[in-house]
Amino acid sequence: METVPKIPDHEITPPNVYFNRRSFMRAGLVAASTISSVSAYRLFNPARTKVATTTPLAGLQQSTETESDLMARGWRVAEEKTPESSVLSYNNFYEFTTEKEGVAAAAKDFSTDGWQLLVDGMVAKPRNWSIDDLHAISPPQERVYRMRCVEAWSMVIPWAGVPLAHILESVEPMPSAKYVAFETLFDPSRMPGQLTDVLQWPYVEGLRIDEAMHPLTLLATGLYGKLLPPQDGAPVRLVTPWKYGFKGIKSIVRITLLAEQPPTSWNRYSAREYGFYANVNPTVDHPRWSQATEQRIGESGRRKTLMFNGYEEQVAELYKGMDLTQHF
Ligand code: MTE
């Protein structure tokens, strides 16, 4: 048995225990403490499960900008990328299972053939998009972003995708559109987790329109230069790197522009624990654990969590004058 550095159990308990008190009750205390040490082991040791995605993402753009310009934009980060095997085998996707290391297997047959993404609401030109349509209007770009989960673990992931702003601009938002709502596919025959009541389905998320239009905000269709695999949210998911990972809604079928702030899944589950904004903030703790540090998957020792996950320069302006302890 490998030894792992001592970290308090509350910082390493897996999300299905944090997030799903009902399964916590079912699992019982003995199981829960066993899960904690298994989880700790995993955090320090990238998963060895072999999970392959083999389909290269066609048309991935090579940037003409220098590395330092890309870093100034926040589109690259000078930190080691998380091994692909961990990105593909350590997931949260409750439509399939609440077991992080079971998502890849549970989702492996999820077919996204013929996927349509509807963009509607307060726009002049509502439209259905195929994934090829998204790429036709904006060829996929690579973005190497930090990803910080609210559970205090993190990764560095080379995403590929289309800036959400490009898609929204092309449907022409009305001036009255102030928010953007996102919705995951609802189809329990293909997403068996939707037969359970761990969350209210479909999974929904939302952004303010200026957040949605921000140049960091990506509709990801790939990672590690390949098409997004089912467990990471195929065929299209949201990536907002300055926010906690749960904002990154997966397998999106609908994006709707609205005048009012839309409901969001984890906020609906527990409003005092999961806010609408969910900006990474080391000074605002989760009611049940500290957000000051994080466990980078594959590293030993903990890192300090950075304000806005290290994207302060790019996004702080969006929240000027707001009390971030209230709007967490
Ligand atoms: N989207 C949907 N539809 N369902 C989910 O359960 N989990 C969220 C987010 N998006 C989730 C989701 C959470 S809690 C996190 S941390 C990230 O996806 C995890 O993304 P990853 O598995 O690609 O690392």
Side-chain angles (χ1 to χ4, degrees):
M1 181 71 188
E2 330 263 336
T3 51
V4 292
K6 274 254 169 265
I7 26 177
D9 270 1
H10 72 273
E11 291 186 8
I12 53 173
T13 310
N16 56 315
V17 175
Y18 273 153
F19 283 168
N20 182 357
R21 294 187 199 98
R22 278 163 291 202
S23 48
F24 180 78
M25 297 315 284
R26 276 199 299 274
L29 287 173
V30 175
S33 60
T34 314
I35 290 164
S36 289
S37 54
V38 171
S39 172
Y41 172 78
R42 289 291 181 209
L43 287 171
F44 290 99
N45 296 276
R48 293 189 188 106
T49 331
K50 276 221 170 2
V51 198
T53 52
T54 48
T55 318
L57 182 60
L60 186 59
Q61 294 293 289
Q62 294 308 316
S63 177
T64 52
E65 293 183 56
T66 64
E67 274 304 293
S68 64
D69 285 349
L70 292 167
M71 279 194 221
R73 289 177 185 272
W75 292 3
R76 292 285 183 281
V77 58
E79 290 162 24
E80 211 173 308
K81 290 175 203 155
T82 301
E84 186 178 5
S85 59
S86 296
V87 179
L88 301 185
S89 60
Y90 194 76
N91 303 101
N92 277 331
F93 202 170
Y94 282 17
E95 282 83 344
F96 292 98
T97 171
T98 56
E99 295 297 329
K100 265 184 180 5
E101 289 167 272
V103 179
K108 75 176 184 350
D109 296 326
F110 181 62
S111 165
T112 59
D113 291 351
W115 197 270
Q116 292 281 297
L117 167 62
L118 173 64
V119 183
D120 68 350
M122 296 179 151
V123 299
K125 296 181 171 166
R127 167 169 182 194
N128 257 307
W129 301 73
S130 69
I131 301 306
D132 286 346
D133 293 337
L134 298 176
H135 291 161
I137 203 157
S138 186
Q141 312 173 4
E142 188 165 72
R143 301 284 179 85
V144 184
Y145 286 158
R146 296 183 198 91
M147 200 269 244
R148 167 66 156 81
C149 179
V150 73
E151 304 151 3
W153 55 266
S154 64
M155 297 191 183
V156 172
I157 304 178
W159 299 106
V162 174
L164 179 58
H166 292 180
I167 305 306
L168 296 183
E169 277 156 12
S170 83
V171 295
E172 299 178 16
M174 297 172 181
S176 48
K178 304 288 183 225
Y179 290 90
V180 183
F182 302 82
E183 198 175 305
T184 293
L185 174 72
F186 180 70
D187 185 349
S189 70
R190 293 158 71 194
M191 294 180 145
Q194 290 175 335
L195 295 166
T196 74
D197 65 353
V198 340
L199 284 175
Q200 197 178 315
W201 309 109
Y203 196 100
V204 288
E205 257 307 333
L207 295 173
R208 235 171 38 194
I209 194 149
D210 55 348
E211 299 178 314
M213 300 295 274
H214 193 278
L216 285 173
T217 304
L218 197 68
L219 278 183
T221 51
L223 60 80
Y224 264 104
K226 297 166 201 158
L227 284 175
L228 207 58
Q231 64 269 32
D232 287 286
V236 58
R237 58 96 55 84
L238 181 68
V239 180
T240 46
W242 71 98
K243 293 178 177 285
Y244 290 121
F246 67 83
K247 296 297 284 184
I249 179 172
K250 297 177 168 182
S251 304
I252 304 169
V253 288
R254 189 171 184 186
I255 297 178
T256 307
L257 283 81
L258 303 167
E260 307 293 335
Q261 183 177 305
T264 60
S265 281
W266 282 106
N267 181 256
R268 205 149 55 179
Y269 179 85
S270 177
R272 56 180 279 281
E273 295 177 87
Y274 309 103
F276 174 80
Y277 284 94
N279 292 321
V280 175
N281 188 338
T283 69
V284 176
D285 287 338
H286 184 278
R288 290 182 285 128
W289 62 88
S290 163
Q291 294 292 24
T293 65
E294 67 200 51
Q295 182 65 59
R296 178 69 49 86
I297 300 296
E299 273 184 8
S300 60
R302 295 179 73 79
R303 290 177 168 252
K304 281 198 164 138
T305 289
L306 304 172
M307 188 63 201
F308 295 116
N309 205 22
Y311 299 96
E312 188 165 16
E313 211 176 293
Q314 290 83 13
V315 302
E317 188 67 19
L318 296 174
Y319 308 104
K320 229 169 82 187
M322 282 174 67
D323 179 349
L324 298 181
T325 62
Q326 295 303 309
H327 300 283
F328 58 88

